[in-house]
Amino acid sequence: MEYKLIDAPLGKILKVTGIKAGKDARHRLYALGVHIGDKIIKLSNTKWRPQLIQNLTSDSSKIAIGKGLSEKIFVTESIDEN
Amino acid sequence: MKINNKNIDFVIALVGQPNSGKSTLFNVLADIKVSTSNFSGTSVQVSQTVLSYGGLNLLLVDLPGTYSLNSTFEHERITFDYLLNSKVDLIINVVDVSLLTRSLELTVELTELNKPMIIALNMYDEAISQGISIDENKLSEILGVDVIPTMAIFGKGVKELMDTAINNLRFRKNKASKFLFTSKIERSINEIENEIKRHLNGNSELARFYAIKALENPELLKISINSDVRNKIKTIEKAIVSDRNQDLFEIFSYERHHIAMKLSKQISTFKDTRKKPIKQKIDELLLHPVLGYIFLLLALFLYFFLIFIVGDTVSGLVETPLSKLPELYESLSENQPFLWYSINGAFMGLMGVFGIVLPYFLPLIFLTSIYEETGYTARIAFLLDGLFHKIGLHGKSIVPFILGFGCTVPALYASRIIESKRDRTITGILLTFIPCSARIAVIFALAAAFTGPIWAMVVFAFVLLVVSLSGKALSKVLTKPLGLILEIPNLKLPSIKISLEKTWRKLREFLKEAVLFLLMGSIILGWLEYFHFDVYVNSLFAPILHNLLDLPVELGSTLVFGFLRKELIIVMSTQALGVATLSALPLTVEQVIVFIIFVTLYFPCLATFIVMTKEFGWKTSVFAAVFSITVATISAFLFKIILSI
């Protein structure tokens, strides 16, 4: 099942399936190591503040993603690894 | 020994991602310097030092941290421009081993520059604590450059790094191996590279880099490309984009990502320690939806309390002896009044710099550096982003805003922590509305004499409303914000020594760049006073002050003195209206409230104007001045109407 990042479950391993944001935001996400196909985990689930994710594919960097942008990033649960 | 431009043998540039420990390494290396010097035409954001090592005089340049050479952020483009347009004999690429894959993406991009390079594998201790071990020899073999493990914060590996750098510089070896993209992309690069070679007049070393950037992000290139090449790029782009269903910049980014991942797998092994590191436990508390905010309040309280306490104490200590200085030139006031006004103008400027700005500026820079080094500043931005989003900004704006209550000048400097130019500009403009300690003194002095404390609180509440509404308005006018995408770096222990060194460098920069302008401006204001410019000023302000706000026309000149130092308004208003005390001012309570509102919101002071021009450019500072005077006039007029009902 595909979720928007903002609605995705906490603590589960998620796979990034789509980034439907503008060019600058995609530029920044790639620069910070977030790409389609990467496995991530959500570390915070509070909707009124940015979403905090940790990238499991490339390294363990933590990235805060604003609320608006979290609605443009799509993920699925990575079933085999949960 | 003083070293000048001509004595420099080689230029070494430190390049790395933000928080890779690059500046720490720079500070450790700068410790072995023999002399420091600044070079004209370079950005203040590029720290440089000259050091003598291995019999060579080296210019060491610390370039701003950048995640890639393809950045959309202006301050990260400084690194790109420097590497492309300045003399660089050797790049030291600082790689954060604890974030190996992402750091290697920049390394892969740097190899495209085709410049001599060595690698500092930094934060080795952090990697070990995470169970990561690296085969640096294998990395050196694959990249074809020297790789040295370092722990910059402890000075470990730094000597080996410098010895390797000298060896590379003396024997001119080691340009990194070339990484190849997938075959279709490589063919396109080769095609454009051949075209570009014809434009570069023999400088074909950079042709491949230019070809990659021409495809990936042509806006970055400053070389002219003729229409034939441009058409070729468009044809290639069309073919590749329809084939891969991705923009060209995405394709390059994905390919580098895969190269870096492959490289990382080849050289590192990961052993799961199964033990949650203590830092992670602390971090969970710092970012907790409830406890995180309690800690934030404590951290902000400590930050501002220390700045205000130190600032206030030092300010008091400095102002007492300084205030005795006018006695030395008092005798000139009768015989040589012009000279007296000139010297007094300069004195006022000096009081502003040493009595107000510096006492707050120094603890600010030191503590900001400590907070940044620990990684807590990014956490503040994360915690407050939701709140600041409501006025079109991001969480990082909190630091300059609260500092603005002390002094606007250091607050403007503090806005440097905001990466986005748009957000930084809005923050800078809004800072002009935040009442600094001098304006707070005026508000309290006038409120105490006429209205009581309730009206002082009303003024503060109104200022917050003005900041929110102006923020909303400005964020609607300026381009849409990017949305927060912020790295939360690992927590680290700060180094007091490095923070002290940073403070010293910022102090030198401030003294060199702002003090002269401040003194000149203050002397000119002294001359205006000498030539009784107040008559003209009063008539200039009369349409606003008298006709619109129903205030005495004589108060016009006090606003000009307020531009020099806001607290002068207290003294000058009594002088202008010919009374001895504030409470004797021939003003009604309503007039005082209207005057307080105007004084609180119109542009802060000369020092703010100068620093704002330096930091944001003259267009922004002129806009901020006009905007704040307009808002001050409208607000004061509104109060006049409301109070008259």
Side-chain angles (χ1 to χ4, degrees), chain B residues 171-422:
Chain B
F171 303 108
R172 293 262 164 205
K173 60 174 191 176
N174 291 354
K175 276 184 187 170
S177 314
K178 192 165 79 173
F179 287 98
L180 294 178
F181 294 93
T182 48
S183 54
K184 213 174 219 177
I185 300 290
E186 271 304 321
R187 272 201 303 277
S188 309
I189 294 170
N190 290 338
E191 212 174 306
I192 303 296
E193 187 181 351
N194 291 334
E195 294 286 344
I196 282 179
K197 269 181 187 164
R198 284 184 223 149
H199 288 269
L200 289 178
N201 299 330
N203 184 14
S204 60
E205 278 195 347
L206 281 171
R208 180 177 163 82
F209 182 77
Y210 278 130
I212 292 170
K213 287 292 170 243
L215 289 164
E216 186 183 18
N217 192 353
E219 287 164 32
L220 285 173
L221 289 184
K222 284 181 182 155
I223 55 163
S224 60
I225 301 174
N226 69 22
S227 54
D228 283 354
V229 184
R230 220 173 293 133
N231 290 338
K232 207 163 250 180
I233 292 170
K234 273 189 188 152
T235 316
I236 291 171
E237 188 175 8
K238 215 172 160 188
I240 297 178
V241 170
S242 71
D243 183 35
R244 302 263 295 253
N245 207 16
Q246 279 178 313
D247 284 334
L248 270 177
F249 82 90
E250 292 184 292
I251 294 169
F252 277 96
S253 173
Y254 275 87
E255 296 215 356
R256 283 196 200 100
H257 184 55
H258 285 294
I259 293 169
M261 284 213 293
K262 197 174 152 199
L263 198 54
S264 174
K265 274 187 191 142
Q266 280 175 294
I267 62 158
S268 67
T269 50
F270 176 69
K271 198 176 140 203
D272 195 350
T273 52
R274 296 271 164 207
K275 217 174 90 188
K276 206 184 239 187
I278 182 88
K279 276 185 193 171
Q280 202 177 317
K281 286 182 192 163
I282 296 172
D283 208 16
E284 279 167 15
L285 285 176
L286 295 181
L287 298 171
H288 190 272
V290 178
L291 296 174
Y293 289 90
I294 295 172
F295 188 83
L296 173 70
L297 280 178
L298 288 173
L300 286 179
F301 176 77
L302 181 73
Y303 183 72
F304 296 112
F305 178 77
L306 284 175
I307 291 172
F308 283 115
I309 285 290
V310 174
D312 201 39
T313 311
V314 176
S315 181
L317 288 173
V318 173
E319 279 196 338
T320 313
L322 273 184
S323 60
K324 297 212 166 86
L325 281 179
E327 291 168 17
L328 299 175
Y329 57 87
E330 192 50 47
S331 56
L332 295 172
S333 66
E334 284 193 7
N335 304 330
Q336 290 172 284
F338 180 75
L339 191 58
W340 185 88
Y341 278 103
S342 308
I343 297 173
N344 197 52
F347 165 74
M348 288 295 188
L350 269 181
M351 278 288 270
V353 172
F354 292 101
I356 297 183
V357 178
L358 282 183
Y360 292 95
F361 181 79
L362 296 179
L364 156 83
I365 299 292
F366 177 72
L367 276 178
T368 308
S369 167
I370 293 276
Y371 273 49
E372 269 193 43
E373 274 207 38
T374 56
Y376 193 61
T377 316
R379 283 159 178 84
I380 295 177
F382 169 77
L383 291 166
L384 290 175
D385 190 69
L387 185 68
F388 273 76
H389 215 75
K390 296 203 185 316
I391 57 165
L393 288 170
H394 292 312
K396 277 196 173 181
S397 299
I398 184 71
V399 176
F401 273 3
I402 298 186
L403 282 168
F405 285 104
C407 178
T408 317
V409 171
L412 285 171
Y413 279 112
S415 72
R416 283 186 187 182
I417 62 166
I418 303 164
E419 293 96 351
S420 146
K421 191 186 173 192
R422 170 201 178 274

Side-chain angles (χ1 to χ4, degrees), chain A residues 26 30 36 49 58 62 64 66, chain B residues 101 250 254 283 287 484 486:
Chain A
R26 277 180 292 152
Y30 300 154
I36 294 172
R49 60 182 199 170
S58 53
K62 282 182 203 160
Chain B
T101 311
E250 292 184 292
Y254 275 87
D283 208 16
L287 298 171
L484 183 81
L486 178 74

